[in-house]
Amino acid sequence: MTTDAPNNLPAELTSFIGRQSELAAVRASLDGERLVTLTGPGGVGKTRLAAQVAAAEVAHRPGGVWWVELAAVNDHTQVAELVAATLGVLVEPVQGPVRSLVAQLRDRKTLICLDNCEQVLDGAAELVAALLRSCPQVSVLTTSREPLAVPGEVVWRVPPLAAEEALRLFVERGRQVRQLFDLDQAGESAARVMCSRLDGIPLAIELAAAWLRTLTPQQIEHGLDDRFGLLVRSPRGVAARQQTLVASIAWSHDLLDEPDRAVFRRLAVFPAGFSLDAAQAVCADGVIDVLGALGRLVDKSLVVAETRGGASRYQLLETIREYAAGRLRESGEGDATRDRHLDHFLAVAAGEPRPAEDLDAWRTRVEGEYENLRAALEWGLAADDPGPGRRLAAELAWLWHLHRHGYEGISFLRRAIDLAPDDRSLLQARLLAGLALVADTTSPLDLEYDVAQQALELAAEHGEESLRAVCLSLSAVGRFYTSFEEAWELTELAISSAEAAGDKLFPHSMRALQGMIRQLQDRHEEARELLEAAAEGLRHRHRGIASTTLASLASSALACGRLSESRRFASAAIDLAEPLSDYLRVGIARSALSAVCALSGDLDAALDVLRPLLVLTENADRAVFVPGMAAALGQIHLAQGDLDSALRWFERDKPGTATYLAAQIQAGYGEALRRAGRSEDARRELDQAAATARTLGMPRALADALAQQAFLADDLNLHHEALTIRAAHGLRAFLPDSLDALAAFLPPPNAARVLAASAAARTSLGCPRRAIDQPAYDHLRDDLEHTLGQAFAAEWAAGSDLSLDDAVAYVRRSRGARNRPTAGWDSLTPTELKVAQLAAAGLNNPEIGARLFMSRSTVKTHLSQIYAKLGVANRTELAALTVQTG
């Protein structure tokens, strides 16, 4: 089937027999309803019919048709997580996978197929109900031995095969094991009886047909006699068809030689698929030929084989696995088999190459075995000797660091640590370091530094230089949020330790962190050299950190006014992060690109870039840890003049502690508060912003805070201080903001020149004035044009010819002391003078605020100061004084 619609439908290795009327009926149900559940006993053909329906729907579902196998899932909370992973949907860790899926599927015309829901009904029902409620174009097709009991569910019971279809299935499957197989009259008669006795259940018929290589149809039919004799002793309440299926599996099982039976029952410990190597490691006991047994089990349809990436992969269908698990319990081999399963997957996780040598190759090797690793870990941590389980937890820390299961990893690692809380072994050090590593991408402000320091102490006790380098690196990242100096010292120690240990990853990651520190300190030439070298070294060792490194390069280029370069770095960061499905890395990269779009004046594009993240966070219960995202969204809404939305985003992500993240967001938050008329709140926020920026040594953040304090206090000196900082650190993208602000304080000819130079610089840099700033600029330009008359054009032209550097120098030369008196008209600031003129002209506070783009309370504050300086009590006296003075 050729279609442009995305899908991941399983490849059909055998022909689909009959069921044409059922196929049409189920498709008709899906056309009219959005949830159809195929029910029936195991083996009746629910999965195969669903797959055929799904294949027929692909052409009609532009949002894709997605197949999600739930047989290996035993925890209902993991259903939505697996669906999100299958669809490639980002999962926002705070609101979780259900709300994340709903947010991103709301506008997609999509069919989701959930296979084998019976053991996780609650999880499947919760997800499906949410999708039906909030995603009007999403339809769901499920298979389950019992309905989901969700409102709107259409329950469609899959019947057994009709007699002719059952016979045809037996013949078709028989020809797979005997190419020239056909039925003579006696064989057909026996086959019809057999199919009838098997109630037309496809799986039972296929199991019977698998024996045609060695038995005749008559022998197969006769072989059922003894087995069916046992049905009278089956448990009460078990459906007849289920009894029939179990009986047919049991009959096939009893015909196996004992070595094949042993392999069959031991395979039950694999919760999902498994490789030949895994089967040999788990099922062998020194005598059994596992490869031969596996081949015979495949031939007899007790094991399903498929090829992935050129390698064979095997699995037991869930019904068969349940039967095998029962036989394993009866054999008394369960514990020993699970121990071998744990040992094998511990070896897989600890194998070569190691994460520090080739992280991508290591991840590729272990990620596809996550269900087996989880099962092995659960068994190991619950054992009387939890040592192997604890070692496996330590080995998996890198996977949780990279993977969507970060919170699960933290839980497993805490369990492993708490099993021996007083242990001071090297293993305990590795577990603590692993916990810090997972926290790095999941919850860094809560855990990372303190846990890394505990691990560092133990690593030093054991003289383990490689682990010490890891702990120092994680400590550096933890300190990065609150102290650049301490973080830098730790990076130097980490680099030295890592190089001494021959580590190939952490020297690059630490140089990346050093580059990020220099970028935040606005030492951009140093930052660029460090970041570019680190990005190259990390690209094939840790794509996540490489992506964040590129995002930091984008931020550096943006501040320096190199917007096209910034866009290129940010786009490259996204290209590296997207395939990882890592919410943190994708969020950082997209926030960097959004900032470029916003500064370029394309606010719609800036929002579109963040939309995949925005739909996940809009209903979150608390702030999501994605550095830069809320700041970017706050700035976008602020630039548009949407103060309510800006305040909501700034408040949502404003850290409670003095971190570099707080310094980055507080100036914008203070500006939004100022423009909303909340002067005292703005003053308090901006004071904190300036203090944090000074403590950490962040010039750009300090300049932003000073500029807003200057607007709040109408303070010329603060504006000059902001300009000086921006000029000294090459923050060219923000110099036009300072020029615009200072123009309002200059005599008209000078002001016209500076305003013109600012406009020219914005055009050259490609960063137009924000919509929220445009009215004030327009008013000032109009006033200057009116005041200067014919001289305006010449002054404007002269200013337009100034370079940005020349304009900055021009403003700084013209600074001088204002020597403004404390009373009278000359004591009024430029803003106060405009407010006084408009009030004297009869405009009320809202009208003045609209004209000067300030809040009513700000107008009221200015009027109080004007009255005090002019010695008047109200608007009437102000108007009279205005007339008297001309």
Side-chain angles (χ1 to χ4, degrees), residues 68 70 73 75-84 97 101 114 120-125 127:
V68 185
L70 298 176
V73 179
D75 183 345
H76 73 91
T77 64
Q78 295 169 3
V79 173
E81 189 176 82
L82 180 57
V83 173
L101 276 162
L114 305 180
V120 284
L121 278 175
D122 290 344
L127 171 62

Side-chain angles (χ1 to χ4, degrees), residues 52 153 197 298 400 410 442 475 577 765 773 781:
Q52 203 70 14
E153 179 182 30
R197 297 178 70 183
V298 170
W400 290 315
I410 286 176
T442 305
S475 297
L765 292 169
D773 296 324
R781 189 181 190 282

